[in-house]
């Protein structure tokens, strides 16, 4: 009996250490070190192509629901389905030669991916691009099957001058009492030699479940304040990401009950500095609700993914890729831009 009590006490102490270590863990903001391709990259020109995509760690495909959206599942998809989705996502990313790819909800092998190295699969597919990764949800002291290593990846085929993390206002919420997701802008600086200025590419993912969108609004303000300073300095700024705000007024038919849409907020157009522009495809939804598996016409869909560009950037083309939400709960969006040189 005494031995059993000792074992139980040790397990309880170990559990408390793990709980506190994760609840108190703070990420490292600041510079992000590059990985991946180590060879020479081409110099940037005044033209740029970018794709942004929230890939939902390859675990939120067509048949998935999710507890945070009032669904039933934490992990709805089986391991082989996640593996297949990861390879499909990698294949889609390599269909075109993008200059920059901004991914949200990329993830290493762990609990969310049922051990599938989703990020590794994508990294290998994009092996000719430089990679900057920052974990917005990461655990410590947990066994491999229970680990979280989930975050934002920016891949570039252009010679960059570094990447750093812009800390944004944070939500106070914790998942299961001790897991915290941190919200940031991942800023990559790419010199344009012919213009003597830089592309400033900001990979962004705003909060989703803050009541009334108050945290999202504060995050947006800080991100735009930073971007405006870069623009005033003469640089060319493009955000790409999941804004968790409705970017277009397009309505798509659905039968989802309002109780599942409490997270939805409109993008505050008044918050955009003068001359700044939203670039989104108004014809194709980029996200779907996750209270149940996807059925067209039943699940709520909207446009929350896309770009914001500074006044000195011309938007040439923007297009969402309609994949029927087969491999994740968001659609990729790609666009081309041109830096408008000063006279």
């Amino acid at each position: 009996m005494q031995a059993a009590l000792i074992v139980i006490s040790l397990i309880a102490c170990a559990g408390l250490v793990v709980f506190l270590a994760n609840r108190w863990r703070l990420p490292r903001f600041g510079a992000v070190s590059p990985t991946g391709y180590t060879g020479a990259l081409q110099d940037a020109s005044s033209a740029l192509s970018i794709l942004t995509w929230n890939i939902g760690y390859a675990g939120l495909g067509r048949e998935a629901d999710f507890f945070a959206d009032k669904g039933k599942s934490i992990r709805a998809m089986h391991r082989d389905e996640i593996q297949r989705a990861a390879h499909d996502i990698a294949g889609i990313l390599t269909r075109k030669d993008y200059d920059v790819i901004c991914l949200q909800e990329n993830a290493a092998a762990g609990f969310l991916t049922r051990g599938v190295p989703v990020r590794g699969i994508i990294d290998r597919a994009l092996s000719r691009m430089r990679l900057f990764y920052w974990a917005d949800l990461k655990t410590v002291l947990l066994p491999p099957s229970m680990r979280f290593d989930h975050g934002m990846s920016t891949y570039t085929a252009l010679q960059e001058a570094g990447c750093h993390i812009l800390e944004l206002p944070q939500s106070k919420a914790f998942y299961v009492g001790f897991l915290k997701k941190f919200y940031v802008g991942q800023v990559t600086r790419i010199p344009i030699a012919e213009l003597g200025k830089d592309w400033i590419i900001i990979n962004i993912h705003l909060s989703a479940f803050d009541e009334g969108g108050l945290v999202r609004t504060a995050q947006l303000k800080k991100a735009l304040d930073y971007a405006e300073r870069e623009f005033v300095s003469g640089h060319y700024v493009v955000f790409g990401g999941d804004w968790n705000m409705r970017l277009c007024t397009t309505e798509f038919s659905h039968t989802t009950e309002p109780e599942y849409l409490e997270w939805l907020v409109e993008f505050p157009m008044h918050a955009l500095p003068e001359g700044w522009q939203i670039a989104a495809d108004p014809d194709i939804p980029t996200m779907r609700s996750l209270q149940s598996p996807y059925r067209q016409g039943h699940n709520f869909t909207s446009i929350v993914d896309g770009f914001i560009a500074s006044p000195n950037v011309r938007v040439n083309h923007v297009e969402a890729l309609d994949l029927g939400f087969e491999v994740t709960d968001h659609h990729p969006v790609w666009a081309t831009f041109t830096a408008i040189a000063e006279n």
Side-chain angles (χ1 to χ4, degrees):
M1 176 65 74
Q2 187 175 7
L5 288 175
I6 292 173
V7 170
I8 291 171
S9 296
L10 289 174
I11 292 173
C13 287
L16 180 61
V17 168
V18 171
F19 178 90
L20 293 176
N22 283 283
R23 187 174 174 94
W24 291 346
R25 188 191 78 86
L26 291 175
R28 183 175 298 174
F29 302 107
V32 179
S33 299
T35 58
Y37 186 63
T38 57
L41 297 174
Q42 67 185 57
D43 292 333
S45 71
S46 59
L48 188 73
S49 64
I50 309 180
L51 178 140
T52 182
W53 195 4
N54 181 335
I55 64 168
Y57 50 87
L60 296 173
R62 187 182 184 90
E63 295 303 316
D65 63 355
F66 190 56
F67 80 99
D69 287 72
K70 300 185 178 179
K72 299 177 180 178
S73 305
I74 296 177
R75 299 184 300 176
M77 295 174 66
H78 299 298
R79 178 184 168 84
D80 59 338
E81 293 173 320
I82 295 173
Q83 181 121 15
R84 184 163 55 250
H87 284 287
D88 288 345
I89 288 167
I92 292 162
L93 292 172
T94 57
R95 286 180 186 173
K96 294 177 67 71
D97 293 327
Y98 302 105
D99 294 319
V100 179
I101 294 174
C102 297
L103 300 185
Q104 304 87 42
E105 297 196 10
N106 204 356
F111 177 80
L112 288 173
T113 69
R114 294 187 182 270
V116 176
V118 173
R119 180 156 56 91
I121 291 169
I122 294 171
D123 288 355
R124 286 192 295 274
L126 300 176
S127 61
R128 300 292 292 182
M129 303 181 82
R130 194 103 75 227
L131 162 65
F132 296 94
Y133 173 76
W134 192 82
D136 55 25
L137 176 60
K138 189 171 183 176
T139 55
V140 295
L141 303 179
L142 286 171
S145 62
M146 296 299 293
R147 287 177 188 164
F148 290 71
D149 189 345
H150 164 292
M152 308 170 75
S153 295
T154 299
Y155 301 83
T156 175
L158 304 174
Q159 185 60 52
E160 51 20 77
C163 176
H164 75 274
I165 296 303
L166 173 67
E167 184 180 1
L168 301 178
Q170 301 300 327
S171 167
K172 295 181 180 179
F174 285 84
Y175 295 108
V176 295
F178 70 98
L179 298 179
K180 186 164 184 65
K181 183 175 180 179
F182 290 88
Y183 294 91
V184 302
Q186 188 180 34
V187 183
T188 306
R189 185 176 295 271
I190 302 174
I192 311 172
E194 65 188 84
L195 299 180
K197 296 294 182 179
D198 302 333
W199 284 111
I200 307 296
I201 310 303
I202 307 176
N203 185 353
I204 199 159
H205 186 190
L206 300 187
S207 179
F209 299 106
D210 53 309
E211 187 173 354
L214 298 179
V215 176
R216 270 169 282 187
T217 301
Q219 291 169 347
L220 177 66
K221 182 181 186 306
K222 183 168 182 180
L224 289 175
D225 286 348
Y226 170 85
E228 178 73 0
R229 292 194 297 272
E230 291 286 0
F231 163 64
V232 169
S233 297
H235 300 301
Y236 303 91
V237 186
V238 178
F239 288 92
D242 174 1
W243 299 90
N244 276 315
M245 296 176 170
R246 184 150 52 183
L247 300 180
C248 297
T249 57
T250 313
E251 296 281 352
F252 303 97
S253 62
H254 68 92
T255 59
T256 298
E257 297 294 330
E259 66 182 284
Y260 298 112
L261 305 178
E262 294 174 351
W263 64 271
L264 184 65
V265 298
E266 303 293 332
F267 187 94
M269 298 301 296
H270 64 273
L272 276 182
E274 184 178 357
W276 287 71
Q277 55 207 305
I278 291 176
D281 185 340
D283 298 322
I284 296 174
T286 66
M287 59 73 58
R288 60 94 167 182
S289 61
L290 280 162
Q291 82 281 2
S292 63
Y294 178 65
R295 298 294 180 266
Q296 185 174 358
H298 169 63
N299 297 74
F300 173 80
T301 60
S302 190
I303 298 167
V304 302
D305 304 87
F307 304 91
I308 291 179
S310 55
N312 56 353
V313 173
R314 181 169 61 247
V315 180
N316 302 312
H317 178 82
V318 59
E319 179 182 344
L321 307 180
D322 190 347
L323 307 174
F325 299 108
E326 190 66 36
V327 294
T328 186
D329 60 322
H330 286 253
H331 283 148
V333 185
W334 72 279
T336 59
F337 304 91
T338 301
I340 304 171
E342 295 179 358
N343 294 328

